[in-house]
Structure formats: C-alpha cells, structure tokens
Amino acid sequence: PLLALALSGCAGSAEEPDAGPPAAAEADDDAPDAGPTASFTLQLGTGRNTYRAMSDDEPLWLERGFQGLQHVLVSLRVEGLEQGRYLVDLSLVRTDDEAVVSEPSRVRLPLTWTEDETAVELHGYQLVVPLPDEAVGQRARLVTRVEHEDEVAADAVEREVRWAPEGWDPDQA
C-alpha cells in the first residue's frame, strides 16, 4: 500500500499532465515532424555492428532476443552533429490503426564517429516489440527523432513486419 502510494506520485503533476510516451504522440502523423531549423540530418537504417541503409522492399525484421523478447534492430546515421550523447525517440506504429506496438523508447544514446568522421552513428539499438502477434504480418511505421538543443531531425520508414529468417545477418544487404 505504501509503495503504491509512493509510485502514484511519480506519474506527473496537475500542472503537467502525462501525455503518454513522446513517440506515441508522433504516431498520428504520416511523417515525423523534423522542425524547420535542424542543422543536421538523420537517416534510419538497420544493422547490429554497423549502419546499413534499408532497401525499399526490405521488411522490418523482428528478431528473437536472448532474454525471451523480440526486437527490431535499428541503426542511425546523423550528419552535422559531433560525437556525443543525444536524446533519441524510437517507436514502431502499426499503420492500420496507429497503435504503438513497441515499448516506449526515449533515451539519451551515444552516437560515435564514422571511420571518416563525416557523420555519427548508432548501431544495433534493440527496439522491443513485447507482443509480436500485434506486429508480425502487419504494415508498420518505424519512426525516429534525434534532438540536439532546440533542433530535431526525424526519419521514418513504413514496411511490413516479418520474423527474421534463420541465419539473418542485419549487417549484410
């Protein structure tokens, strides 16, 4: 009872109501709002140990994890930012009803230099999809935003979600 009372005070305040996960607010738009002033660009891709752009016909592969869950592997490439930690929003939104089928993900993540230092990247982020039956075989929009100071860059892809085949290597095209 005391723990429940303590936790109930963490949900927000009367001055700032809880609007749900930030990524869910994006789900109503066809494309994420990048804002007009971003001085950097964001490219959404896949890969475990590298950034790899997805082909136009490539599905969003759902991969089984080692701890009993499943996830979509996400990699990002950002041009115009220095190496550092940035606030990143990621979500997987089913397109037929705009339901968010991934765990909420708004986290400060490290982006590291590419070998030639022309961009920074994040490799192999595991966006958890807790109930795979709500995603597999459905079209979904993978949405991401990167924030830096008062600027936001965004990217999204819409694809069918499928189970990754045996032996799938996300680092290979």
Side-chain angles (χ1 to χ4, degrees):
L2 185 56
L3 179 60
L5 180 61
L7 290 176
S8 68
C10 296
S13 68
E15 297 157 4
E16 187 176 350
D18 182 14
E26 303 293 314
D28 293 340
D29 299 333
D30 287 338
D33 181 17
T37 61
S39 60
F40 55 95
T41 60
L42 168 63
Q43 297 171 319
L44 180 58
T46 191
R48 187 180 323 282
N49 300 305
T50 189
Y51 167 85
R52 183 179 62 77
M54 289 184 260
S55 65
D56 290 339
D57 60 346
E58 184 174 1
L60 293 170
W61 295 115
L62 191 63
E63 182 179 60
R64 287 184 171 85
F66 295 109
Q67 297 180 338
L69 290 174
Q70 46 285 323
H71 53 266
V72 173
L73 280 177
V74 179
S75 289
L76 307 175
R77 174 174 286 159
V78 180
E79 295 178 357
L81 288 180
E82 298 287 319
Q83 179 170 289
R85 297 181 73 82
Y86 297 94
L87 194 57
V88 178
D89 285 315
L90 293 144
S91 63
L92 186 62
V93 181
R94 197 172 48 220
T95 57
D96 68 345
D97 62 1
E98 298 299 318
V100 177
V101 295
S102 61
E103 287 289 319
S105 182
R106 180 173 172 83
V107 64
R108 193 165 299 280
L109 295 170
L111 282 83
T112 57
W113 284 118
T114 55
E115 191 172 307
D116 62 3
E117 295 189 5
T118 59
V120 291
E121 295 179 338
L122 170 70
H123 301 155
Y125 184 82
Q126 298 176 355
L127 182 61
V128 174
V129 178
L131 301 171
D133 292 344
E134 293 184 2
V136 173
Q138 304 286 321
R139 287 198 63 80
R141 189 171 50 255
L142 179 58
V143 180
T144 187
R145 296 169 29 113
V146 173
E147 297 180 25
H148 174 58
E149 297 175 354
D150 61 346
E151 297 179 299
V152 177
D155 196 9
V157 296
E158 184 177 317
R159 309 286 168 78
E160 183 179 349
V161 179
R162 296 185 196 161
W163 282 113
E166 186 72 30
W168 174 67
D169 182 353
D171 295 332
Q172 302 296 316

